Amino acid sequence: MVIRGARVIDPASGVDAVLDVEVRDGVIAALGSGLVATAAAEEIDATGLTVLPAFVDPHVHLRTPGQEYKEDLESGTRAGAAGGYCQLLAMPNTVPTIDSRTVLESLFERGERDCVIPTGFLGAISVGLAGAQLTDMYELASCGVAGFTDDGRPVERAGLLRRAFQYARPIALPIALHEEDLTLSRGGHMHEGAVSAELGIGGYPGIAESAMVARDLAIARYEDARVHLQHLSTRGSLEEVARARAAAVRVSCEATPHHLLLTDQAVRSLHGDAKMNPPLASEDDRQALIAAVRDGVVDCIATDHAPHAFEEKDAPFEQAPNGVTGLETAFAAIYGGLVLPGILPLATVLRAMSLAPARAFGLVEPTIAVGRPANLALWDLADRHVVRADRFQSRSANSAFIGREVVGRCHLTIAAGRVAWRLAPVGDPR
Amino acid sequence: MDDLRRHLIAIGDLDREGIERILETAASFESVQEREVKKVPTLRGRTVVNVFFESSTRTSSSFELAAKRLSADVMSLKASGSSVDKGESLKDTIQTLSAYGPDVVVIRHAAIGAALKTTGYTNAHVVNAGDGKHQHPTQCLLDLYTIREALGRLDGVQVAIVGDVLHSRVARSNIQGLLAVGAQVLLVGPPTLIPRGIEATGVRVSHEIGDIATADVVYVLRMQSERMAEGANYVPSLREYTERWGVTSSRVSPRQIVMHPGPMNRGVEIGADLADSNQSLILRQVQAGLVTRMAVLYDLVTRPYRDTAERPAVEVAA
């Protein structure tokens, strides 16, 4: 395949030029002008379009096994491909939990058949995410988990987290943490502040996250552990990360598109699609999060893609489950909301969505350079459109961006050398 | 197409003009209460459905009687004894009742946003009779009515709201409504029961009961012990609460008026003698609730759309 005449941008390899890209045998075979394709090869006229490195999402919920009515491996990875992603890491809070060799092996088997793009899995830190007993971490590692997490829940007991850090040190895989002090967040359904006070919805204070971040970074520092902090949302947490970095703690962390673009004001709609954990925070927190991405304190942008069925989210706010989908809107929301207005540089966003998460979890780095495996996506960065609930590849449509304008549409995704997504001709929603 | 039906979900759905219009209408219904036959044909042929998923005495009886005095057909459904007990969801219940084509659905529900959700499940106008800790707009209207009647004005009136603001939809509606009509609001209570960030609405906050001295109106909130999770420790004991924040005769002056949305815990948040005293307007609030709710039903049915300038109001004989 030759993608002809697109602007190719990859800060990792330093490319920013109008070039032809030739993909052959799953590898980027040539980059240049006026490339001659072999007779059989497909040619794509990409004039006016942009080739970007494909993205890596270290934090998605594919709901398999057990909750396939929300999402399955096929629909979830297709959603990823449609959003320009080439690799995903799925969380283990499934039914049953990914905490044993049996579950993991069956998942890899199904993934082999169903996943549209390469997909890895994190194993649980504690059996059943119950926070009591460590999983067989060496066995899970030998089966190929990409790391460990109890995501959806914090590791409540400091002593257990310390044991996990100690025990898993030789495994050298990151331990990813959902940071929440449950005694502080209990009864909370949205960020605690002026909006929660006015609406009467139970407040979830920012310190529920930052106090736990402080605790866990102290433990990680003591044990010299490699730690990855998931979906950070408050200024206080970011200050803790900056302090820990200065002390050489090996910490990587994530911000989500919804925390970068929305605040607790969105909860005024009382719509379930404005509900997630951690909750949308204050404008001050959002500004701190943007600055942290700009400064590199936050290295990864992850979606925390969390599909839920319509009827589940249609409940009154406090009863609606936490989580929003994100794979298909992440880049367009950030490009339209933060890059085009000049708030975040494109290079920073690309790095945070691609290279940094790949490095944090030791995955294939999606670099656009001759000889590299082809992990790239073709975007129309002039396509300004309103997010619609009926246009998702995901099985669920609980996006916080529905009705909002975003910029950028993915026309083609090549993941691990294979075409994983092609935008259907105009007029056909699929 | 935009849905332009009018509802009363939060007091903020009404501007100052709208609030004053409803209070005027309510006043005009006072004469009905003095007649031998306490009924007007205003809403004859209209149907009002009251759905109460949460227990209520005064609000449900008040809405039912208000609709009856306006000659509407009324159907009142309590959560107990209906299919709600069988796990029928809010959506199914509202859709089922809406199949009868009601003009107004009055709903009380423990969940914040339940009334707003209801607007999507019915073609009727929806009146929120309380949704969790969020809003209770008709309580606000009846309180404004009562204050105006007692003091002759609302603008510049100083109101101290005392007690468990955190769990109170009455407080939230009253804060918005009072500020909208130019009153000043002081919240008084223990820091654990005053929601963090509430000052942003424009109220002042104090933790000293003595600060109610400057208020024209002392509005006492119920201590909602049923909403306090075991071990949450909002207050260590009701004894200490009463000691520090209970509103008693010795803490108010005779020139102040005292209000309470009910039901009261006499001897906890309000002194028993004070509740029964001349300066207490608690029973007057109940009477005001009837005419105010009549006015709300009338207002929605006669001004059914938000842009009433473009759509003629339905003519209803008063």
Side-chain angles (χ1 to χ4, degrees), chain A residues 268-350:
Chain A
R268 289 185 184 281
S269 69
L270 298 181
H271 198 291
D273 290 347
K275 186 176 179 187
M276 68 289 289
N277 185 3
L280 296 172
S282 69
E283 177 63 15
D284 178 65
D285 291 314
R286 187 178 85 92
Q287 291 301 334
L289 198 59
I290 292 169
V293 171
R294 195 188 294 123
D295 301 344
V297 171
V298 166
D299 43 350
C300 303
I301 293 174
T303 64
D304 191 8
H305 179 83
H308 289 293
F310 175 80
E311 316 81 70
E312 295 172 317
K313 276 292 195 182
D314 191 36
F317 192 83
E318 291 168 307
Q319 276 128 46
N322 283 311
V324 288
T325 58
L327 286 168
E328 294 169 78
T329 50
F331 181 73
I334 289 174
Y335 186 73
L338 297 173
V339 175
L340 281 182
I343 298 164
L344 279 179
L346 178 61
T348 304
V349 169
L350 294 177

Side-chain angles (χ1 to χ4, degrees), chain B residues 21 28 43 60 85 87 196 214 219 237 254 280-281 298-299 304 309:
Chain B
R21 181 181 68 238
S28 76
L43 296 189
S60 65
D85 289 338
R196 189 184 170 96
T214 54
Y219 195 101
S237 69
S280 158
L281 298 183
Y298 174 85
D299 199 68

Side-chain angles (χ1 to χ4, degrees), chain B:
Chain B
M1 195 187 84
D2 276 351
D3 182 2
L4 292 172
R5 278 175 302 150
R6 284 181 66 225
H7 306 288
L8 184 58
I9 305 303
I11 194 66
D13 294 346
L14 294 166
D15 55 11
R16 184 171 185 162
E17 191 190 332
I19 290 172
E20 282 168 359
R21 181 181 68 238
I22 289 175
L23 299 188
E24 290 302 326
T25 309
S28 76
F29 284 133
E30 286 283 2
S31 63
V32 177
Q33 318 310 320
E34 291 152 15
R35 297 181 197 172
E36 197 174 339
V37 176
K38 299 181 175 58
K39 211 169 174 103
V40 287
T42 313
L43 296 189
R44 192 165 55 201
R46 304 282 182 160
T47 304
V48 176
V49 174
N50 297 319
V51 203
F52 280 69
F53 291 88
E54 209 184 44
S55 67
S56 156
T57 307
R58 46 201 85 202
T59 306
S60 65
S61 59
S62 178
F63 267 110
E64 181 164 344
L65 195 56
K68 283 178 172 164
R69 296 241 161 128
L70 293 170
S71 303
D73 295 324
V74 193
M75 181 161 53
S76 292
L77 188 93
K78 307 261 186 227
S80 59
S82 76
S83 54
V84 171
D85 289 338
K86 295 177 225 149
E88 192 166 286
S89 71
L90 171 69
K91 183 176 184 172
D92 289 335
T93 304
I94 299 298
Q95 285 181 337
T96 301
L97 293 169
S98 293
Y100 300 122
D103 297 279
V104 182
V105 170
V106 178
I107 175 170
R108 165 166 294 188
H109 197 286
I112 290 174
L116 184 62
K117 284 274 169 212
T118 298
T119 63
Y121 305 147
T122 178
N123 291 320
H125 303 286
V126 177
V127 178
N128 183 3
D131 63 330
K133 294 171 283 169
H134 180 221
Q135 283 276 317
H136 193 356
T138 58
Q139 177 74 43
C140 172
L141 290 167
L142 76 87
D143 288 333
L144 294 177
Y145 184 90
T146 306
I147 294 170
R148 196 177 71 159
E149 186 185 54
L151 301 180
R153 67 198 163 99
L154 289 168
D155 202 45
V157 168
Q158 296 195 32
V159 181
I161 300 178
V162 184
D164 181 5
V165 177
L166 184 68
H167 297 99
S168 175
R169 56 189 169 216
V170 173
R172 279 186 187 82
S173 287
N174 275 347
I175 288 168
Q176 278 181 16
L178 285 163
L179 294 174
V181 297
Q184 287 157 22
V185 179
L186 171 70
L187 305 180
V188 182
T192 46
L193 293 177
I194 306 290
R196 189 184 170 96
I198 194 73
E199 292 91 338
T201 58
V203 299
R204 287 182 305 124
V205 170
S206 164
H207 307 303
E208 293 300 325
I209 192 68
D211 289 343
I212 66 175
T214 54
D216 303 304
V217 180
V218 178
Y219 195 101
V220 188
L221 297 171
R222 173 180 160 79
M223 268 303 277
Q224 311 224 23
S225 50
E226 78 271 18
R227 286 223 171 99
M228 296 198 186
E230 171 87 10
N233 287 310
Y234 289 109
V235 291
S237 69
L238 288 180
R239 192 192 60 79
E240 176 154 299
Y241 176 83
T242 305
E243 178 82 17
R244 288 200 70 86
W245 292 283
V247 177
T248 55
S249 301
S250 64
R251 284 175 169 160
V252 296
S253 78
R255 68 158 193 90
Q256 293 179 301
I257 61 173
V258 177
M259 297 170 67
H260 191 297
M264 285 181 282
N265 301 299
R266 289 167 195 262
V268 179
E269 72 268 6
I270 187 165
D273 57 332
L274 182 61
D276 297 331
S277 72
N278 284 338
Q279 66 194 118
S280 158
L281 298 183
I282 294 167
L283 290 177
R284 187 61 202 134
Q285 286 173 272
V286 177
Q287 293 164 339
L290 178 59
V291 288
T292 309
R293 289 180 176 117
M294 288 170 75
V296 166
L297 295 174
Y298 174 85
D299 199 68
L300 286 175
V301 173
T302 53
R303 306 169 71 96
Y305 300 107
R306 272 183 277 152
D307 60 341
T308 41
E310 287 171 36
R311 294 166 191 244
V314 176
E315 286 301 319
V316 175

Side-chain angles (χ1 to χ4, degrees), chain A residues 14-26:
Chain A
V15 179
D16 183 354
V18 173
L19 292 169
D20 299 342
V21 182
E22 184 184 1
V23 175
R24 201 185 325 132
D25 301 329

